Amino acid sequence: MPTLFDDIEKVLITKDELQTRIAALAAEMNAIYDDDDLPMLVCILKGAFMFLADLTRHLDFRHEIDFMEISSYGSGTTSGSVRILLDLASDITGRNIIIVEDIVDTGNTLTYILKNFTARGPASVRVATLLSKPSRREVDVAVDFVGFEVPDEFVMGYGLDYAQQYRTITRPNCCTTCTARPTAAIITCSSRRAWPRNTSNTSARCNRIRR
Ligand code: PRP
């Protein structure tokens, strides 16, 4: 009987590599912002929740947090129309915004968010993404803080899903310094095996798999 872990092809970024790089990104932000800026970090759900949690624990300046959920449906491997499923609770007029994404792939989602935010009159907007796939870009979009540039492989774990599953999956004992199961790593899946088990609305979900 195959287990969840059989769906992992390889560990692309280890837990330690993730944490080291996230601390470095936070250091970059700490050099730019101070308490007076009072930035608002906007976590783009769902994928960025782990990145936001780890990133913010390294920030030295006062900041606030808000959440936005975006959905982008397309066919095959491209993003199509983008829409807001959950909007910000806060007014961002005059605020310094840091958008926190898990991955920038085609760039269509981020382009939509930036256009949407610009219309709300923020003082500044910067973008942090844990992962970027430059080879997949369809629109040129500026990203200020990039954790890792990754190849065009399907990645999951550390918040990133495959058909809403696998967001927390890691390979047991992939970290030799850790006897417990690592709680966070970016992995690639064995595409033949990984499949949306026990998932409702399967056809809709499969239609938008592109990472
Ligand atoms: C992912 C990711 C980005 C977007 C990037 O979200 O979180 O928002 O795709 O893709 P793009 O650059 O091609 O537009 P997804 O729609 O998978 O939702 P999720 O975060 O809830 O998994």
Side-chain angles (χ1 to χ4, degrees), residues 120-159:
R120 305 187 197 204
S124 70
V125 180
R126 287 191 173 95
V127 178
T129 186
L130 180 66
L131 306 178
S132 175
K133 274 187 187 175
S135 63
R136 293 262 306 149
R137 209 70 94 242
E138 293 177 2
V139 286
D140 192 19
V141 61
V143 181
D144 303 276
F145 310 97
V146 178
F148 300 88
E149 289 194 352
V150 293
D152 187 10
E153 294 186 71
F154 191 94
V155 292
M156 58 189 192
Y158 198 69

Side-chain angles (χ1 to χ4, degrees), residues 44-47 69-72 79 101-110 161 164 167 208 210-211:
I44 307 301
L45 297 171
K46 307 184 180 76
E69 185 171 3
I70 303 288
S71 172
S72 54
S79 299
E101 265 283 24
D102 56 339
I103 187 166
V104 179
D105 190 348
T106 65
N108 289 319
T109 303
L110 183 56
D161 73 310
Q164 296 301 325
R167 291 189 194 274
R208 54 192 285 272
R210 59 187 178 283
R211 284 192 298 270

